[in-house]
Amino acid sequence: MTQCISCNHSIEPFISFGKQPLGNGFLSKPQFKSEYFFELEVCFCQSCSLVQLANQPKPEQMFNDAYSFFSGTSTKMAQHFERFADDIASRYLKPHDPFVVELGSNDGIMLQHFAKRKIRHLGFEPSANVAAVAQSKGINTRCSFFNQKHASHAASEFGHADAILAANVMCHIPYLHSVMEGMTALLKPTGIIAFEDPYLGDIVTKISYDQIYDEHVSLFSATSVKNLFEHHGMELIDTIPQPTHGGSMRYVIAPKGTRKVASSVTETLAREVANGLGSLKTFTRFKKSVEQSRADLKQLLNTFRKDHKRVVGYAATSKSTTVINYCSLTPDLIEFISDTTPIKQGKFSPGMHIPVLSYERFKENYPDFALLFGWNHQQEIFEKEKEYRSQGGQWVVYVPRVEIIG
Ligand code: SAH
Ligand code: TMP
Ligand code: ZN
């Protein structure tokens, strides 16, 4: 039995998605033969409530100079990060020479708002290609993984931070205690940590099992976050739900006893108990719902094939890799996936090798059905694609249930 990455207790597996490729491992034909697969199995820790993967590929295998996720591809996310930065600046930064650090700063989507205000900042971004985009915009970015060693170096070089921020990256990191020690070493005694990630509560209620893929080693809840930080003398002081990525939670944390704990924390923790997020039974039920979702989606796509309908995937998201491979969605069910990210275009989807083509290919010849792999950007995409619908195009979504939206 494997051990919890947060508290070391033994953990219980509750679902396996079988052999899966890298979520962002879009590849070209010559790479098919050497494609990497690993068993995607999910476990629950009864001691600290952290839901986590049993195994994860090495960080360098996922985050390198060919990383294919560029944060700036979504305009709604760009607006979200502007608000995130404004909120931190107005609530937590003192006027005199504040210093902000971000983990997983990617192309600078959030730090640019601090840079614009001439606030001292530093991003840790190990994927060289996305880090280079940030650097070219004048955003101070260190191309390295955040860990205890690099954080201590940064503290001696730049001083201590008023705020340490992270979005959609804490859930990527298996060596949590090295990160905790790094944050503790780098944070001012009066500073705060704010991070957000897809929220376990939403994943369970929406059966959004596609949030489970190689990069997401942890699926956090307020309970598991509280337990993790308590080990390091920190306190959860606020929990703020976010609509992003199909339902996320922002956690605000401070050295214990330094700040008032918002009432939201007690409320969120109580809701998690009531919703069974601390109970293995909830996750065995979740497994059944996931299996049902797979059966429904396969049945629908098989019917379309029988009726000779054209089906195209919309947005080659990393999340879609789990759905495509778990449901065995082969290229005879999905003609291609349309995506706006240049480095994905002309490649093939991980595992099932569905062609990924430019967005123009979707616009040029609308399919009968578009399978919405980017369901977390549904509002933005539906606003953009009014014409597709007006010409009779229909959407297929699978979160929270498999259905056709005409
Ligand atoms: N914060 C951005 C990017 C999220 S993707 C957003 O929300 O859109 C996760 C990013 O974290 C990737 O760019 C990846 O390279 C980076 N990353 C992965 N492990 C990391 C680590 N240990 N320290 C810092 N960044 C890391
Ligand atoms: P995400 O779900 O991890 O944020 O990934 C978003 C992916 O979806 C990225 O590859 C870009 C793509 N995308 C489109 O192709 N069209 C769109 O309108 C949006 C919002 C995203
Ligand atoms: Zn644990």
Side-chain angles (χ1 to χ4, degrees):
M1 201 176 273
T2 334
Q3 286 173 318
C4 176
I5 56 171
S6 174
C7 77
N8 244 4
H9 200 267
S10 53
I11 49 178
E12 291 285 334
F14 63 87
I15 189 169
S16 171
F17 293 91
K19 291 282 181 223
Q20 290 278 340
L22 303 181
N24 267 311
F26 296 89
L27 70 182
S28 53
K29 264 196 188 142
Q31 296 172 311
F32 286 0
K33 270 196 275 167
S34 57
E35 190 170 9
Y36 174 85
F37 288 86
F38 75 107
E39 185 177 351
L40 182 62
E41 187 178 42
V42 197
C43 304
F44 175 66
C45 176
Q46 308 226 36
S47 169
C48 76
S49 292
L50 181 62
V51 173
Q52 60 203 276
L53 300 189
N55 322 284
Q56 195 194 25
K58 290 208 166 51
E60 295 76 13
Q61 229 170 320
M62 300 180 283
F63 310 115
N64 46 46
D65 57 0
Y67 190 57
S68 58
F69 177 71
F70 289 73
S71 301
T73 47
S74 161
T75 46
K76 283 268 184 312
M77 289 307 290
Q79 290 160 4
H80 170 78
F81 284 119
E82 181 169 7
R83 286 194 297 270
F84 191 162
D86 284 351
D87 191 49
I88 295 297
S90 63
R91 272 215 240 181
Y92 299 113
L93 296 187
K94 300 220 173 67
H96 180 67
D97 191 28
F99 178 41
V100 176
V101 172
E102 188 187 354
L103 284 64
S105 45
N106 201 279
D107 55 12
I109 193 166
M110 174 144 69
L111 280 186
Q112 63 191 355
H113 299 291
F114 295 103
K116 236 181 344 211
R117 296 170 188 201
K118 307 247 180 307
I119 290 177
R120 280 199 304 130
H121 61 275
L122 177 67
F124 283 86
E125 177 45 69
S127 299
N129 58 337
V130 296
V133 175
Q135 285 158 346
S136 73
K137 291 195 269 188
I139 295 156
N140 297 329
T141 308
R142 184 148 292 187
C143 186
S144 64
F145 288 95
F146 184 92
N147 56 26
Q148 196 272 333
K149 192 177 104 198
H150 288 130
S152 300
H153 286 166
S156 3
E157 201 176 336
F158 302 103
H160 292 87
D162 296 271
I164 300 181
L165 311 177
N168 308 303
V169 58
M170 282 296 284
C171 68
H172 291 53
I173 305 180
Y175 40 91
L176 287 172
H177 292 290
S178 172
V179 168
M180 294 293 123
E181 283 159 21
M183 286 180 165
T184 318
L186 187 53
L187 194 68
K188 275 187 191 161
T190 52
I192 59 102
I193 298 165
F195 77 94
E196 59 187 39
D197 275 309
Y199 178 54
L200 180 68
D202 287 293
I203 294 169
V204 169
T205 30
K206 295 178 186 156
I207 320 161
S208 45
Y209 67 90
D210 56 350
Q211 289 291 2
I212 301 169
Y213 58 94
D214 59 343
E215 294 179 15
H216 290 175
V217 65
S218 298
L219 304 179
F220 288 115
S221 60
T223 310
S224 59
V225 166
K226 175 177 180 285
N227 289 331
L228 170 66
F229 280 85
E230 263 176 12
H231 277 297
H232 294 269
M234 303 273 187
E235 191 168 36
L236 181 59
I237 60 161
D238 207 355
T239 50
I240 314 163
Q242 304 295 324
T244 48
H245 291 298
S248 295
M249 187 66 85
R250 184 177 304 163
Y251 306 97
V252 187
I253 291 138
K256 194 165 173 52
T258 60
R259 286 176 192 260
K260 188 171 165 284
V261 177
S263 58
S264 64
V265 174
T266 337
E267 287 155 20
T268 308
L269 293 170
R271 203 173 334 108
E272 291 185 354
V273 173
N275 292 344
L277 294 189
S279 154
L280 183 60
K281 258 196 275 167
T282 305
F283 302 101
T284 30
R285 266 204 307 275
F286 173 75
K287 176 180 192 248
K288 292 238 154 25
S289 312
V290 171
E291 286 165 352
Q292 187 58 53
S293 171
R294 169 171 66 175
D296 293 346
L297 185 60
K298 286 211 75 164
Q299 193 193 11
L300 188 64
L301 293 178
N302 282 327
T303 314
F304 293 159
R305 181 173 51 187
K306 202 161 67 21
D307 297 343
H308 304 289
K309 299 290 185 201
R310 286 186 61 224
V311 181
V312 163
Y314 195 104
T317 56
S318 35
K319 292 184 293 297
S320 69
T321 298
T322 300
V323 177
I324 291 172
N325 289 279
Y326 176 64
C327 302
S328 304
L329 305 186
T330 42
D332 57 322
L333 292 169
I334 298 168
E335 193 177 307
F336 66 87
I337 306 170
S338 138
D339 195 282
T340 52
T341 317
I343 116 165
K344 294 182 185 177
Q345 297 162 359
K347 293 203 174 140
F348 294 84
S349 76
M352 286 295 157
H353 304 160
I354 302 168
V356 180
L357 302 178
S358 69
Y359 171 60
E360 287 64 38
R361 294 293 287 274
F362 171 79
K363 292 285 282 182
E364 276 160 15
N365 185 11
Y366 285 143
D368 299 301
F369 293 96
L371 178 52
L372 188 58
F373 289 131
W375 61 268
N376 51 313
H377 303 290
Q378 179 166 318
Q379 194 196 353
E380 175 173 356
I381 292 171
F382 281 12
E383 273 166 24
K384 199 160 80 181
E385 301 302 349
K386 287 194 179 119
E387 189 193 318
Y388 167 61
R389 278 169 101 172
S390 70
Q391 296 202 10
Q394 302 190 72
W395 292 97
V396 175
V397 296
Y398 46 84
V399 173
R401 70 193 71 78
V402 175
E403 65 179 329
I404 298 173
I405 303 176

